[in-house]
Amino acid sequence: MNHDELARELAEFWLPALVDRDWEGRLKVLEEIHSQLYQDLATLEEYDSVASRFVAAVIEHLGAPPVRENAQAQIYATSANEDHWGAAFAWQYGQAEATAANGKAHAGHERRRWPRQWVDKLTEAWVQGEAIRCRILDLSRGGARIATFGGISPPAPGTAIHVAVPEDRIREAIVVFSERGKAGLRFATAAGAA
Protein backbone atom coordinates (compact mmCIF):
# COMPACT_ATOMS: atom_id res chain seq x y z
CA MET A 1 0.00 0.00 0.00
CA ASN A 2 1.42 3.40 -0.93
CA HIS A 3 1.44 6.43 1.37
CA ASP A 4 -1.56 8.11 -0.30
CA GLU A 5 -3.69 4.99 0.03
CA LEU A 6 -2.70 4.48 3.65
CA ALA A 7 -3.41 8.13 4.50
CA ARG A 8 -6.86 7.98 2.85
CA GLU A 9 -7.68 4.71 4.61
CA LEU A 10 -6.64 6.14 7.97
CA ALA A 11 -8.69 9.29 7.39
CA GLU A 12 -11.80 7.27 6.58
CA PHE A 13 -11.25 5.10 9.65
CA TRP A 14 -10.75 8.04 12.05
CA LEU A 15 -13.33 10.43 10.58
CA PRO A 16 -16.19 9.24 12.86
CA ALA A 17 -14.03 10.07 15.91
CA LEU A 18 -13.29 13.56 14.55
CA VAL A 19 -16.40 14.82 12.80
CA ASP A 20 -18.49 15.73 15.88
CA ARG A 21 -15.63 17.38 17.80
CA ASP A 22 -14.62 21.01 17.83
CA TRP A 23 -11.17 21.93 16.48
CA GLU A 24 -9.55 21.68 19.94
CA GLY A 25 -10.93 18.16 20.33
CA ARG A 26 -9.79 17.22 16.83
CA LEU A 27 -6.30 18.53 17.57
CA LYS A 28 -6.04 16.36 20.69
CA VAL A 29 -7.19 13.23 18.82
CA LEU A 30 -4.83 13.94 15.92
CA GLU A 31 -1.89 14.37 18.32
CA GLU A 32 -2.62 10.91 19.74
CA ILE A 33 -2.90 9.43 16.24
CA HIS A 34 0.40 11.06 15.24
CA SER A 35 2.11 9.53 18.28
CA GLN A 36 0.84 6.10 17.30
CA LEU A 37 1.85 6.56 13.65
CA TYR A 38 5.33 7.56 14.79
CA GLN A 39 5.64 4.27 16.65
CA ASP A 40 4.06 2.14 13.90
CA LEU A 41 5.80 3.42 10.77
CA ALA A 42 9.29 2.15 9.96
CA THR A 43 11.12 5.39 9.11
CA LEU A 44 10.90 9.12 9.84
CA GLU A 45 10.42 9.78 6.13
CA GLU A 46 7.48 7.39 6.00
CA TYR A 47 5.97 9.00 9.11
CA ASP A 48 6.33 12.53 7.66
CA SER A 49 4.77 11.46 4.38
CA VAL A 50 1.83 9.49 5.79
CA ALA A 51 1.06 11.87 8.68
CA SER A 52 0.87 14.98 6.50
CA ARG A 53 -1.21 13.22 3.83
CA PHE A 54 -3.49 11.81 6.55
CA VAL A 55 -4.14 15.34 7.87
CA ALA A 56 -4.83 16.59 4.33
CA ALA A 57 -7.35 13.77 3.79
CA VAL A 58 -9.06 14.49 7.13
CA ILE A 59 -9.38 18.20 6.26
CA GLU A 60 -10.85 17.33 2.86
CA HIS A 61 -13.35 14.92 4.47
CA LEU A 62 -14.39 17.74 6.83
CA GLY A 63 -15.05 20.01 3.83
CA ALA A 64 -11.90 22.15 4.20
CA PRO A 65 -13.67 25.04 5.97
CA PRO A 66 -11.88 28.39 6.20
CA VAL A 67 -9.51 28.71 9.15
CA ARG A 68 -11.22 30.53 12.02
CA GLU A 69 -9.34 29.52 15.17
CA ASN A 70 -5.96 28.58 16.59
CA ALA A 71 -6.46 24.81 16.93
CA GLN A 72 -7.79 24.60 13.38
CA ALA A 73 -4.75 26.53 12.11
CA GLN A 74 -2.45 24.12 13.95
CA ILE A 75 -4.11 21.19 12.18
CA TYR A 76 -4.05 22.86 8.76
CA ALA A 77 -0.35 23.75 9.19
CA THR A 78 0.57 20.04 9.30
CA SER A 79 -1.25 19.12 6.08
CA ALA A 80 0.57 17.97 2.94
CA ASN A 81 -1.77 20.23 0.93
CA GLU A 82 -0.19 23.64 0.30
CA ASP A 83 -3.62 25.31 0.28
CA HIS A 84 -4.25 24.04 3.81
CA TRP A 85 -1.00 25.17 5.36
CA GLY A 86 -1.13 28.39 3.38
CA ALA A 87 -4.55 29.08 4.93
CA ALA A 88 -3.13 28.35 8.39
CA PHE A 89 -0.26 30.77 7.98
CA ALA A 90 -2.51 33.43 6.41
CA TRP A 91 -4.82 33.17 9.42
CA GLN A 92 -1.86 33.32 11.82
CA TYR A 93 -0.49 36.37 10.02
CA GLY A 94 -3.92 38.03 10.17
CA GLN A 95 -4.11 37.41 13.91
CA ALA A 96 -0.65 38.91 14.44
CA GLU A 97 -1.59 41.94 12.34
CA ALA A 98 -4.85 42.44 14.27
CA THR A 99 -3.00 42.22 17.57
CA ALA A 100 -0.37 44.71 16.43
CA ALA A 101 -3.04 47.10 15.10
CA ASN A 102 -4.83 47.05 18.46
CA GLY A 103 -1.59 47.69 20.29
CA LYS A 104 -2.21 44.89 22.76
CA ALA A 105 -3.11 41.22 22.86
CA HIS A 106 -6.75 40.33 23.48
CA ALA A 107 -8.01 37.10 25.01
CA GLY A 108 -7.49 34.24 22.58
CA HIS A 109 -4.77 36.07 20.66
CA GLU A 110 -1.06 35.38 20.69
CA ARG A 111 0.62 36.99 23.72
CA ARG A 112 4.19 35.87 23.15
CA ARG A 113 7.03 38.28 22.45
CA TRP A 114 7.62 36.69 19.04
CA PRO A 115 4.97 35.05 16.86
CA ARG A 116 5.20 31.28 16.63
CA GLN A 117 4.95 29.11 13.56
CA TRP A 118 3.55 25.59 13.55
CA VAL A 119 6.25 23.21 12.46
CA ASP A 120 5.32 19.59 13.32
CA LYS A 121 8.70 18.09 12.43
CA LEU A 122 10.43 15.08 13.92
CA THR A 123 13.75 15.86 15.57
CA GLU A 124 15.98 14.99 18.51
CA ALA A 125 16.74 16.70 21.79
CA TRP A 126 19.44 15.93 24.33
CA VAL A 127 19.19 16.12 28.11
CA GLN A 128 22.50 15.53 29.91
CA GLY A 129 23.86 13.90 26.74
CA GLU A 130 20.96 11.44 26.42
CA ALA A 131 19.03 11.63 23.13
CA ILE A 132 15.24 11.91 23.10
CA ARG A 133 13.25 11.54 19.90
CA CYS A 134 10.58 14.22 19.78
CA ARG A 135 8.51 16.39 17.51
CA ILE A 136 8.76 20.18 17.36
CA LEU A 137 5.17 21.39 17.35
CA ASP A 138 5.80 25.10 17.05
CA LEU A 139 8.73 27.46 16.89
CA SER A 140 9.48 31.14 17.43
CA ARG A 141 12.63 33.23 17.66
CA GLY A 142 12.57 32.80 21.43
CA GLY A 143 11.60 29.17 21.90
CA ALA A 144 9.73 26.06 20.83
CA ARG A 145 7.19 23.52 22.00
CA ILE A 146 8.05 19.83 21.72
CA ALA A 147 6.16 16.56 22.17
CA THR A 148 7.73 13.30 23.31
CA PHE A 149 6.70 9.80 22.22
CA GLY A 150 6.15 6.32 23.56
CA GLY A 151 5.39 7.24 27.15
CA ILE A 152 8.67 9.14 27.56
CA SER A 153 8.04 12.07 29.88
CA PRO A 154 9.33 15.44 28.75
CA PRO A 155 12.06 17.03 30.86
CA ALA A 156 10.96 18.93 33.99
CA PRO A 157 10.85 22.75 34.09
CA GLY A 158 14.28 24.25 34.67
CA THR A 159 16.08 21.43 32.81
CA ALA A 160 18.79 22.45 30.33
CA ILE A 161 18.16 20.90 26.93
CA HIS A 162 19.66 20.96 23.43
CA VAL A 163 17.25 20.57 20.53
CA ALA A 164 17.92 20.12 16.81
CA VAL A 165 15.79 22.74 15.08
CA PRO A 166 14.96 21.60 11.52
CA GLU A 167 16.63 23.73 8.86
CA ASP A 168 18.53 25.63 11.54
CA ARG A 169 20.96 24.18 14.09
CA ILE A 170 21.16 22.65 17.53
CA ARG A 171 19.85 25.22 20.00
CA GLU A 172 20.43 25.45 23.75
CA ALA A 173 17.26 25.95 25.76
CA ILE A 174 15.64 25.71 29.19
CA VAL A 175 12.36 23.86 29.77
CA VAL A 176 9.80 26.41 31.00
CA PHE A 177 6.80 24.09 31.26
CA SER A 178 6.19 20.37 31.00
CA GLU A 179 2.83 18.59 30.89
CA ARG A 180 1.12 15.59 29.24
CA GLY A 181 3.96 14.66 26.91
CA LYS A 182 4.74 18.23 25.87
CA ALA A 183 7.34 20.77 26.95
CA GLY A 184 7.81 24.47 26.28
CA LEU A 185 11.39 25.60 25.67
CA ARG A 186 12.98 29.03 25.94
CA PHE A 187 16.11 29.36 23.82
CA ALA A 188 19.26 30.62 25.50
CA THR A 189 19.52 33.26 22.75
CA ALA A 190 16.81 34.34 20.35
CA ALA A 191 17.16 33.23 16.73
CA GLY A 192 18.82 35.97 14.75
CA ALA A 193 20.33 37.56 17.88
CA ALA A 194 24.01 38.38 17.75
Side-chain angles (χ1 to χ4, degrees), residues 23-178:
W23 288 104
E24 282 288 335
R26 290 171 181 160
L27 181 60
K28 286 180 174 134
V29 171
L30 288 171
E31 286 174 347
E32 291 174 17
I33 295 167
H34 281 296
S35 292
Q36 189 61 49
L37 284 174
Y38 177 77
Q39 292 175 11
D40 292 346
L41 297 173
T43 66
L44 295 178
E45 292 78 18
E46 188 176 16
Y47 166 82
D48 279 339
S49 177
V50 172
S52 63
R53 291 171 191 205
F54 163 66
V55 171
V58 165
I59 292 168
E60 291 304 320
H61 280 300
L62 294 171
V67 177
R68 302 269 189 246
E69 61 184 272
N70 187 32
Q72 182 185 9
Q74 286 182 317
I75 293 169
Y76 274 54
T78 63
S79 172
N81 183 315
E82 289 183 18
D83 292 337
H84 297 161
W85 53 261
F89 290 115
W91 182 84
Q92 181 186 17
Y93 178 77
Q95 294 303 301
E97 287 290 306
T99 299
N102 290 333
K104 61 183 177 181
H106 294 287
H109 289 253
E110 185 65 57
R111 296 173 190 233
R112 289 168 175 78
R113 183 172 175 190
W114 291 293
R116 60 183 168 169
Q117 295 180 334
W118 293 286
V119 179
D120 194 32
K121 294 280 186 183
L122 294 171
T123 192
E124 284 189 320
W126 295 266
V127 176
Q128 297 177 342
E130 188 171 326
I132 301 170
R133 285 198 132 357
C134 60
R135 193 172 63 166
I136 291 186
L137 302 173
D138 60 50
L139 182 66
S140 75
R141 286 184 61 200
R145 189 168 52 111
I146 63 169
T148 56
F149 297 102
I152 296 171
S153 297
T159 303
I161 187 170
H162 291 81
V163 62
V165 176
E167 289 125 29
D168 189 4
R169 59 190 164 95
I170 295 175
R171 303 289 306 274
E172 292 181 36
I174 295 291
V175 177
V176 293
F177 78 84
S178 178

